[in-house]
Amino acid sequence: MRVHLELSLVDPAVMFRQPGEAQELAAQRHQSLQQLLRADAFLIVTPEYNHGYPAALKQFIDEVPASWEARPVGFISYGGVSGGLRAVEQLRQVLAELHAMTVRSSVCFTNAWEQFDEQGQLSEPRPANSALAHTLVQLNWWAQTLRSGRERVPYERIRG
């Protein structure tokens, strides 16, 4: 299945105002927020530290007014022996509380430091590319399905 997606990179680090920050960062934050509010789906890239995801990602999820409700979320994770999957499982619980729909497929990099060369390129890209393709197909299907559902019945009416 061929999937066409428009991807936008949003760096959580720019979403929080810092003392003495440059005006360009405020403009970048505004642009990133607009991208988040228009998004039909999300793809979160996360490391795993101490069997969990970073506090900065939790702050981002809790404080940045993204439209998580009735939108699908996919994951790319990395870490040690688990490849970040423990962090992803925790994120699934948090996002369920925000009424997001997480897709089953994901991309994970086990012992990530061993999988990339000095230039940051994957030594063996086929498995990751295959997993990413499958994840994006699922993300796209759910994005279209949930967007159609939100258009028919606004999610606020059924949230409970």
Side-chain angles (χ1 to χ4, degrees), residues 6-152:
E6 179 184 327
L7 300 176
S8 299
L9 177 64
V10 175
D11 182 353
V14 303
M15 298 308 294
F16 301 99
R17 190 168 193 278
Q18 301 297 320
E21 72 181 10
Q23 184 63 29
E24 300 83 47
L25 283 179
Q28 185 179 1
R29 182 171 38 259
H30 177 75
Q31 179 183 3
S32 293
L33 182 57
Q34 295 309 306
Q35 290 171 329
L36 289 168
L37 293 173
R38 286 191 309 268
D40 284 321
F42 301 97
L43 186 61
I44 294 175
V45 179
T46 186
E48 178 183 313
Y49 295 112
N50 300 322
H51 291 217
Y53 58 94
L57 180 54
K58 178 69 164 123
Q59 181 184 16
F60 176 81
I61 290 168
D62 288 346
E63 295 181 19
V64 174
S67 299
W68 299 106
E69 287 187 339
R71 285 171 176 76
V73 180
F75 301 98
I76 298 174
S77 63
Y78 59 95
V81 69
S82 78
L85 293 177
R86 293 178 287 218
V88 168
E89 289 307 310
Q90 291 175 16
L91 284 164
R92 289 182 193 284
Q93 294 174 358
V94 170
L95 292 164
E97 186 62 25
L98 297 173
H99 298 251
M101 206 315 287
T102 60
V103 300
R104 182 65 186 97
S105 293
S106 65
V107 182
C108 73
F109 297 100
T110 304
N111 298 322
W113 53 89
E114 297 174 356
Q115 294 196 38
F116 294 86
D117 64 22
E118 297 79 32
Q119 291 76 38
Q121 300 298 311
L122 277 168
S123 302
E124 178 51 52
R126 279 183 290 156
N129 288 342
S130 177
L132 180 60
H134 196 70
T135 300
L136 292 177
V137 166
Q138 287 184 354
L139 199 60
N140 184 59
W141 188 89
W142 279 106
Q144 290 180 21
T145 300
L146 291 172
R147 180 179 49 226
S148 176
R150 290 190 313 272
E151 289 169 355
R152 282 192 317 276

